[in-house]
Amino acid sequence: TSILGACAILFIGSFTVIGFMYHHFQGCDINMAFISITLLLIIFTTSLQLTGEESSLLTSGLVSAWTTYLALSAISKNPNGDCNPRLGKDDAQGILLGLGVTCISLAYVGFSYTSSSTLSNSKFQKESENESSKHVTGVVTNDDDKHGATDESGGEYKNGAISGDGANEIRDDGPVSETWKLDATLGLISCFIAMVLTGWGEISADGNAANPDMGKVSMWMIISAQWFCFFLYIWTITAPRLFPDRDFS
């Protein structure tokens, strides 16, 4: 029930903001195009998600809310005064909201990655212990003068360690760490947000200290990020259907 309630809030909020954009940012074809494309893609991706089990309605709601926010951000950066009633006005709230979403996203990416790595390492350690126990025969001893147990590959346990060929078979260094991927992802996200907040190096004459990123560059970069987000979500849903013989888990 709580999940359905959250989904309802996300979709109602998204459609409400879209109606707000249609009312306040009318008069320009480019604004109408961005808003209409956003609405159509939300309907398309949600309908596509409901036809399968690759995603959930909550995910569709989150994607809808995020892409709606990106659409509002994009058209609010339009430097044409006839198309943008917010031109020249302070946008400190938008900047704070963007920073908040960025911090939450970075924290979630780090948490989900470390949780996944912990589960993977625990699983690997358990499998290694099970594999080692299968190879052990006899009794392990710490006596230097007496031979200990032997494993199936011919290795001998002495002083609690394995000698011989069995040591090479049982010993494993574990999964290779790939934290560099996480570091690279977080670094790119941070650079992207920094460029968004600084207007991609283009400060419009109508900008000010609280809203320096009015301009076509910011507008097109933000709407491009929205389209890329839709593309990734559509690919996530359709890829398992197009390639059923591959494991996407």
Side-chain angles (χ1 to χ4, degrees), residues 70-114:
L70 290 178
L72 177 60
S73 298
I75 61 177
S76 66
K77 308 308 178 191
N78 194 329
N80 188 343
D82 297 331
C83 305
N84 186 5
R86 293 185 56 82
L87 186 64
K89 295 182 179 180
D90 293 349
D91 193 27
Q93 295 85 357
I95 293 177
L96 292 176
L97 179 61
L99 288 175
V101 172
T102 302
C103 293
I104 294 174
S105 301
L106 292 174
Y108 175 76
V109 170
F111 174 77
S112 60
Y113 182 87
T114 53

Side-chain angles (χ1 to χ4, degrees), residues 8-32:
I9 293 174
L10 290 171
F11 280 111
I12 291 174
S14 299
F15 291 134
T16 301
V17 174
I18 289 175
F20 169 83
M21 289 189 289
Y22 271 123
H23 178 72
H24 290 278
F25 291 88
Q26 57 183 339
C28 288
D29 293 338
I30 191 169
N31 286 356
M32 295 296 102

Side-chain angles (χ1 to χ4, degrees), residues 1-244:
T1 304
S2 58
I3 295 179
L4 291 177
C7 294
I9 293 174
L10 290 171
F11 280 111
I12 291 174
S14 299
F15 291 134
T16 301
V17 174
I18 289 175
F20 169 83
M21 289 189 289
Y22 271 123
H23 178 72
H24 290 278
F25 291 88
Q26 57 183 339
C28 288
D29 293 338
I30 191 169
N31 286 356
M32 295 296 102
F34 288 166
I35 300 170
S36 300
I37 291 174
T38 301
L39 178 60
L40 292 175
L41 285 177
I42 287 176
I43 297 174
F44 173 75
T45 53
T46 304
S47 302
L48 185 65
Q49 173 267 313
L50 291 174
T51 61
E53 299 180 353
E54 294 80 10
S55 185
S56 65
L57 188 62
L58 180 60
T59 304
S60 296
L62 291 171
V63 171
S64 300
W66 175 244
T67 52
T68 301
Y69 166 74
L70 290 178
L72 177 60
S73 298
I75 61 177
S76 66
K77 308 308 178 191
N78 194 329
N80 188 343
D82 297 331
C83 305
N84 186 5
R86 293 185 56 82
L87 186 64
K89 295 182 179 180
D90 293 349
D91 193 27
Q93 295 85 357
I95 293 177
L96 292 176
L97 179 61
L99 288 175
V101 172
T102 302
C103 293
I104 294 174
S105 301
L106 292 174
Y108 175 76
V109 170
F111 174 77
S112 60
Y113 182 87
T114 53
S115 299
S116 177
S117 300
T118 301
L119 292 175
S120 177
N121 291 335
S122 299
K123 182 179 179 181
F124 177 83
Q125 183 178 3
K126 184 176 181 180
E127 291 177 352
S128 299
E129 291 175 354
N130 293 337
E131 187 67 20
S132 299
S133 62
K134 292 179 182 179
H135 286 282
V136 176
T137 59
V139 179
V140 180
T141 178
N142 289 329
D143 192 352
D144 292 340
D145 299 330
K146 297 180 180 179
H147 292 292
T150 59
D151 68 342
E152 295 177 358
S153 60
E156 182 179 344
Y157 285 86
K158 179 181 283 188
N159 292 332
I162 306 173
S163 61
D165 297 334
N168 295 328
E169 291 189 10
I170 297 178
R171 186 177 64 184
D172 201 316
D173 294 332
V176 179
S177 175
E178 296 184 352
T179 55
W180 67 270
K181 294 182 179 180
L182 173 64
D183 297 335
T185 301
L186 297 180
L188 290 174
I189 293 175
S190 300
C191 291
F192 176 80
I193 297 301
M195 292 301 296
V196 168
L197 294 178
T198 56
W200 303 90
E202 180 195 55
I203 299 179
S204 175
D206 295 320
N208 53 47
N211 194 359
D213 53 351
M214 292 286 186
K216 291 184 178 180
V217 176
S218 293
M219 179 181 69
W220 281 106
M221 290 301 300
I222 293 174
I223 201 65
S224 298
Q226 186 217 53
W227 294 342
F228 184 67
C229 179
F230 275 122
F231 169 76
L232 288 180
Y233 188 49
I234 293 172
W235 173 251
T236 301
I237 298 174
T238 57
R241 305 180 189 182
L242 297 176
F243 306 98

